[in-house]
Amino acid sequence: MTAHPKPRLLRCLRALIVLLLAFALPVALSGTAVADRGKSPRTWTVQVGSESSDQAIQGMSFLPKNIFINAGDKVTWEANAAEIHTVTFLAKGQTLESTQPFDPSNPLYLLAQGGKSYDGHSYYNSGVMSNVSDSGFPAVDSYTLKFPDTGDFTYYCLVHGAVMKGTVYVRDKGTDYPYTQEQYNNRADRTARAILRDGYEQWSAARDQADNHTVIAGTDDGVAMVMRFIEQKVVIRVGESVSFVNNGMGAPHTVTFGAEPANVFPPVGDPTNFTGGQLHSGFMVPGTTFTVTFNKAGVYDYICALHDFMGMKGKVVVED
Ligand SMILES: [Cu+2]
């Protein structure tokens, strides 16, 4: 008979568990409560941007957008995407408009500015942030600032401007934290998934607008960007044209055949009679169309000079 010892063992175990709970639970609760009262300085984490695993979809958000911390705490921003972003606190009196558009030749945009402790009114900048090393920028993958003083401090990404901002709410030392880091992380994950869905919807809508003579050269809606030429390959006949349309709201792109020019801003070559070699659209802001007439049979590969490292590349096949 082996059935007898079992219930007794179970009863013992149950008693042991009750005992353990009686002692362990208050300890665990008080431990949490002490930590949440924010007696000792903490470092909080905010993700900068988000992306699909193939980098085709890029999000323009700080995750979480708003964070509540206490005076003396630090925030670390971590690059979470290949697309470049910045974490930038503007100087008192400085407008976001005066900083736009992003100027990649200016060290005030490109490189870290300000110290490690935020003074509440000066210009602080992370410099360009990216989670890859081949972005073409001297990018960093994290940025940490200490917040010694209380206040509500809004910051921006200088690359994406008004659509990408966040706020650090710094409250008195010892204030209860409204959210844990885990809660922020969970919210960030949900937002990142919603951004991906948004991106895939735009991608699908762009497919409906594309044909062999119309290539959507990237699209975005101020939340998610599609860093792809849609469709990636088109087939035409000699003498026909392809129009490349930047269908977005915020992100610039280029259409670049042959050698990539050192300066991506001005156009290079004659798009009305292209037979191979170098041809560059110049900097295509949203709403711009670049039309190329192909007068020689062949296979023409091209890139977006800004986003080729994310896979933004295309091909035009010109048949006799
Ligand atoms: Cu691009």
Side-chain angles (χ1 to χ4, degrees):
M1 298 294 267
T2 52
H4 281 279
K6 212 173 166 191
R8 201 179 303 147
L9 184 62
L10 273 178
R11 272 198 301 277
C12 284
L13 268 177
R14 210 174 294 143
L16 188 62
I17 287 166
V18 168
L19 262 176
L20 278 174
L21 280 177
F23 284 102
L25 206 57
V27 171
L29 282 175
S30 67
T32 311
V34 166
D36 273 347
R37 247 174 250 140
K39 287 281 194 306
S40 53
R42 287 188 184 185
T43 299
W44 300 83
T45 303
V46 174
Q47 302 295 324
V48 179
S50 58
E51 64 185 3
S52 58
S53 56
D54 63 0
Q55 303 172 333
I57 312 287
Q58 295 286 327
M60 289 180 268
S61 296
F62 296 106
L63 304 171
K65 186 178 178 185
N66 300 315
I67 192 160
F68 293 85
I69 69 169
N70 290 352
D73 288 355
K74 291 178 182 173
V75 177
T76 293
W77 286 267
E78 289 178 348
N80 193 38
E83 167 70 342
I84 60 164
H85 300 283
T86 72
V87 170
T88 309
F89 294 84
L90 300 177
K92 201 165 187 157
Q94 186 179 12
T95 62
L96 177 66
E97 291 68 37
S98 72
T99 69
Q100 298 294 298
F102 181 78
D103 178 1
S105 68
N106 187 339
L108 289 175
Y109 292 74
L110 214 53
L111 305 173
Q113 306 289 330
K116 294 183 180 325
S117 185
Y118 182 60
D119 68 7
H121 57 83
S122 301
Y123 181 79
Y124 283 72
N125 183 24
S126 60
V128 167
M129 300 184 71
S130 170
N131 67 0
V132 297
S133 55
D134 57 353
S135 68
F137 290 91
V140 296
D141 59 10
S142 81
Y143 177 60
T144 300
L145 265 187
K146 185 176 180 177
F147 291 86
D149 305 312
T150 58
D152 301 345
F153 305 114
T154 292
Y155 61 96
Y156 297 93
C157 167
L158 292 181
V159 180
H160 300 109
V163 299
M164 188 164 172
K165 67 175 179 179
T167 303
V168 181
Y169 296 91
V170 187
R171 308 193 296 174
D172 285 323
K173 232 176 223 142
T175 308
D176 286 340
Y177 294 114
Y179 305 107
T180 63
Q181 181 70 55
E182 194 187 356
Q183 287 172 309
Y184 286 123
N185 294 350
N186 291 339
R187 187 180 304 180
D189 287 347
R190 281 199 300 277
T191 308
R193 282 197 295 274
I195 290 170
L196 277 188
R197 282 195 298 275
D198 179 307
Y200 286 117
E201 275 167 27
Q202 290 184 70
W203 198 338
S204 150
R207 281 195 177 112
D208 292 342
Q209 298 165 38
D211 57 37
N212 277 319
H213 300 279
T214 310
V215 172
I216 306 301
T219 185
D220 70 86
D221 62 358
V223 176
M225 301 179 272
V226 184
M227 300 297 200
R228 287 294 182 270
F229 292 107
I230 306 154
E231 300 293 338
Q232 254 162 328
K233 177 185 165 190
V234 294
V235 181
I236 60 165
R237 309 300 294 260
V238 171
E240 291 183 343
S241 302
V242 178
S243 290
F244 299 88
V245 184
N246 179 344
N247 218 10
M249 286 171 58
H253 299 285
T254 79
V255 172
T256 307
F257 294 87
E260 195 175 328
N263 181 354
V264 296
F265 285 91
V268 179
D270 178 11
T272 65
N273 178 25
F274 184 56
T275 55
Q278 194 182 28
L279 178 67
H280 175 64
S281 62
F283 203 69
M284 289 176 66
V285 297
T288 313
T289 297
F290 179 62
T291 300
V292 181
T293 304
F294 294 83
N295 285 331
K296 191 179 164 193
V299 177
Y300 300 92
D301 290 303
Y302 63 95
I303 61 169
C304 168
L306 307 174
H307 305 120
D308 54 327
F309 68 97
M310 298 174 192
M312 190 164 178
K313 299 172 183 185
K315 191 188 287 284
V316 179
V317 177
V318 183
E319 294 177 339
D320 276 319

